[in-house]
Amino acid sequence: MKILLVEDDLRIAKALAEALTSQLYAVEIAQDGQEGLDLALGFTYNLIVLDLMLPKLDGITLCQRLRKTGDKTLILMLTAKDTSTDKVIGLDAGADDYVVKPFDLQVLLARIRALLRRGNPTLSPVLEWENLSLDPSKCEVRYNSKRLHLTPKEYSLLELFLRNGERVLSRSLILEQVWCFEDMPEEETVKVHLQSLRKKLKTAGAPHNLIENVYGLGYRLNPYL
């Protein structure tokens, strides 16, 4: 899943991005509100972690402008202010949750997981497809109870397929969802990572076409197995 982190304190941004990356999220960092708004309007994210106090454009205004466009991306607001008034203003601006600095990192990660589940109410905490399961809270993938050891990109690819079921995903959409804007590779990279993922799934006992090619369109989980 892909997260936009809008935080002007580079020390906090790097520490939080590192923690999120360790949980196998793809993380994009913006260091001011205007950059954050531009990225949010230009790309698709599963969640925006948004600081309240930002240069160029504050978090409240960014949130309000984003919501006025009809954008419903989940927003978790961060602030150093711990008053009920500030929380109300943030939530009224369109934020979905609110966390006060300094925060416990594990608690924040749990809040992020809960918020992402809330944004996908039809999904259980553990994602499943036939004998395949992915547990986001543990970053763990199993096939027939056998654990698979995946790279971060392989994990993100598989999670994307599991969250989209039978939907066909184009290479360009996969790139946008799994890779960050700054390190966006060529579309051929998707094929390379998928080949590696399919090989590991097959070794664990999965059908070779569990992730199938839909000619001219993209890829999806095979609904006919």
Side-chain angles (χ1 to χ4, degrees):
M1 302 191 84
K2 194 170 182 179
I3 294 176
L4 174 60
L5 173 58
V6 190
E7 169 63 69
D8 63 317
D9 187 320
L10 193 55
R11 179 182 58 84
I12 294 176
K14 285 184 175 181
L16 187 49
E18 183 177 342
L20 291 168
T21 302
S22 73
Q23 298 294 301
L24 304 182
Y25 296 108
V27 183
E28 196 99 60
I29 297 177
Q31 287 187 261
D32 65 67
Q34 187 58 56
E35 181 186 8
L37 181 61
D38 291 342
L39 286 171
L41 293 174
F43 299 93
T44 301
Y45 299 93
N46 300 101
L47 173 71
I48 299 172
V49 179
L50 176 63
D51 191 24
L52 180 65
M53 302 300 293
L54 293 164
K56 296 187 180 179
L57 193 68
D58 65 86
I60 296 294
T61 303
L62 189 160
C63 192
Q64 290 173 332
R65 291 187 183 179
L66 199 58
R67 293 304 189 222
K68 284 181 180 179
T69 68
D71 192 297
K72 297 181 180 179
T73 304
L74 294 166
I75 296 176
L76 175 65
M77 195 165 282
L78 303 176
T79 180
K81 297 181 179 181
D82 187 12
T83 68
S84 58
T85 300
D86 291 310
K87 292 178 183 179
V88 169
I89 292 173
L91 294 172
D92 282 347
D96 298 281
D97 202 356
Y98 200 103
V99 175
V100 177
K101 299 177 183 177
F103 47 78
D104 181 283
L105 184 56
Q106 293 307 313
V107 172
L108 178 63
L109 292 174
R111 294 276 284 274
I112 287 173
R113 289 194 296 270
L115 194 54
L116 288 169
R117 286 198 301 272
R118 190 195 311 169
N120 296 275
T122 60
L123 297 176
S124 65
V126 177
L127 308 178
E128 297 179 330
W129 183 274
E130 300 295 335
N131 298 320
L132 177 66
S133 67
L134 183 150
D135 187 342
S137 67
K138 298 178 182 177
C139 298
E140 187 174 278
V141 176
R142 292 182 179 273
Y143 189 86
N144 278 339
S145 300
K146 182 178 180 180
R147 185 171 181 180
L148 279 71
H149 298 282
L150 306 181
T151 67
K153 284 293 183 285
E154 291 166 353
Y155 177 94
S156 296
L157 280 169
L158 187 58
E159 182 181 16
L160 181 63
F161 283 114
L162 284 167
R163 290 191 182 278
N164 283 275
E166 297 180 20
R167 179 186 175 192
V168 178
L169 306 177
S170 67
R171 288 187 185 182
S172 60
L173 187 147
I174 291 171
L175 283 172
E176 183 179 320
Q177 288 292 315
V178 176
W179 275 266
C180 295
F181 173 69
E182 291 183 353
D183 65 351
M184 193 76 73
E186 298 295 325
E187 289 189 5
E188 188 67 20
T189 302
V190 174
K191 182 179 178 181
V192 174
H193 284 278
L194 275 175
Q195 287 175 339
S196 177
L197 175 58
R198 283 167 165 161
K199 184 177 180 180
K200 291 181 179 180
L201 287 167
K202 185 178 179 181
T203 299
H208 71 280
N209 61 341
L210 177 63
I211 300 173
E212 69 168 348
N213 236 350
V214 181
Y215 184 75
L217 297 176
Y219 308 90
R220 70 173 175 181
L221 291 173
N222 193 335
Y224 301 112
L225 295 176

